């Protein structure tokens, strides 16, 4: 294998192993109705405004956001940026994904007001001795409906590429890095030269777009996704 092929293979392995590193944009919708606490819900609830303050790329130190939904059907095609996936049905088998420090802020979410998965997982975490647990009951549906950036997993992206889905993949890294290896078919729109590369963007602003850079510590994809939203791209 030549040097360029090796670099490409390394890049793909890093991206697909990293999990939620690719960002898509979602169109804002009407605000959901206020959610009233229901029987069986976890005691410590947070709203959208609180959640928005906790979501950062790179992930905020001392905060772990946990998506309790199934992986392939729900988490992979769309989740809150930086969230790790611990499906409630597999919680007992995946406790190694939880932080060692039991004072870490854990925020669980799932599929909205009718979804009990996050509440169930929060209760299980409490039994394990975690002391700072909250649930965002409106979950992913509200996050997406408010037009916030959402993430997809590397596994989902690879599947779309393998199936040749109509998808524009944007590499937000500098050109010098892009030239050393990138996801096959990706176009390079560096964050630092975004305005100079507008001609590479899809004409259809409803076309599906995924933006990536170098993993969870990289903010370039977040920056470019935000600029796309400002230009009116919705998907």
């Amino acid at each position: 294998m030549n040097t360029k092929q090796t670099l490409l293979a390394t890049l793909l392995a890093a991206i697909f192993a990293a999990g939620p590193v690719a960002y898509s944009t979602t169109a804002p919708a009407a605000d959901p109705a206020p959610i009233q606490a229901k029987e069986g819900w976890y005691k410590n609830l947070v709203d959208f405004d609180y959640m928005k303050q906790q979501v950062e790329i790179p992930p905020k130190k001392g905060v772990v956001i946990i998506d309790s939904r199934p992986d392939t059907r729900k988490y992979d095609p769309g989740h809150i940026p930086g969230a790790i996936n611990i499906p409630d049905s597999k919680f007992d088998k995946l406790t190694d994904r939880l932080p060692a420090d039991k004072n870490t802020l854990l925020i669980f979410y799932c599929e909205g007001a009718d979804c009990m998965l996050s509440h169930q997982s929060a209760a299980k975490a409490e039994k394990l001795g975690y002391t700072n647990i909250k649930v965002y009951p409106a979950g992913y549906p509200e996050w997406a409906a408010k037009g916030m950036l959402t993430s997809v997993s590397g596994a989902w992206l690879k599947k779309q590429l393998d199936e040749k889905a109509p998808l524009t993949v944007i590499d937000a890294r500098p050109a010098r890095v892009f030239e050393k290896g990138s996801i096959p078919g990706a176009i390079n729109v560096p964050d630092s030269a975004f305005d100079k590369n507008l001609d590479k963007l899809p004409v259809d602003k409803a076309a599906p777009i995924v933006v990536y850079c170098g993993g969870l510590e990289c903010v370039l994809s977040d920056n470019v996704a935000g600029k796309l939203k400002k230009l009116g791209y919705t998907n």
Side-chain angles (χ1 to χ4, degrees):
M1 184 179 289
N2 63 36
T3 302
K4 188 169 184 178
Q5 289 174 320
T6 302
L7 287 169
L8 177 56
T10 302
L11 171 66
L12 288 173
I15 289 173
F16 294 145
V21 299
Y23 292 80
S24 64
T25 59
T26 51
D31 288 346
I35 293 178
Q36 301 297 322
K38 296 183 178 181
E39 183 178 354
W41 278 16
Y42 189 69
K43 56 190 176 184
N44 299 326
L45 306 177
V46 297
D47 60 11
F48 171 78
D49 290 335
Y50 179 91
M51 195 69 180
K52 188 177 178 181
Q53 293 176 3
Q54 306 306 321
V55 177
E56 294 181 1
I57 297 295
K60 197 171 184 179
K61 291 184 178 181
V63 180
V64 176
I65 299 171
I66 302 168
D67 188 320
S68 300
R69 301 174 302 159
D71 45 15
T72 304
R73 290 190 299 106
K74 293 293 185 178
Y75 176 84
D76 286 353
H79 55 269
I80 293 175
I84 65 172
N85 187 213
I86 304 180
D88 181 64
S89 61
K90 303 177 183 178
F91 186 90
D92 293 337
K93 298 178 180 179
L94 298 175
T95 54
D96 59 326
R97 295 185 182 180
L98 294 171
D101 182 358
K102 293 193 174 181
N103 293 316
T104 302
L105 172 58
L106 305 182
I107 308 176
F108 291 85
Y109 75 88
C110 58
E111 196 66 10
D114 294 327
C115 179
M116 292 297 297
L117 301 179
S118 54
H119 302 279
Q120 292 166 183
S121 289
K124 293 173 184 176
E126 186 176 89
K127 288 182 180 179
L128 290 176
Y130 287 90
T131 61
N132 192 6
I133 304 169
K134 301 184 186 300
V135 170
Y136 172 41
Y140 183 76
E142 179 180 70
W143 184 266
K146 285 183 175 289
M148 303 303 292
L149 293 181
T150 62
S151 297
V152 297
S153 71
W156 180 88
L157 179 56
K158 185 177 186 303
K159 184 174 185 291
Q160 302 308 301
L161 296 174
D162 289 345
E163 295 176 352
K164 302 188 185 302
L167 183 71
T168 298
V169 180
I170 295 177
D171 188 325
R173 300 173 302 158
R176 68 180 184 281
V177 181
F178 174 81
E179 291 168 359
K180 294 178 181 179
S182 66
I183 291 177
I187 60 174
N188 187 213
V189 182
D191 176 49
S192 59
F194 182 84
D195 293 337
K196 296 179 181 179
N197 288 277
L198 297 181
D199 58 323
K200 296 181 181 179
L201 301 176
V203 175
D204 181 4
K205 292 192 174 182
I209 297 174
V210 171
V211 187
Y212 76 91
C213 56
L216 278 178
E217 298 301 313
C218 179
V219 300
L220 301 180
S221 54
D222 200 33
N223 294 343
V224 168
K227 293 174 183 177
L228 289 170
K229 286 173 65 68
K230 288 182 180 179
L231 289 177
Y233 286 91
T234 61
N235 197 25

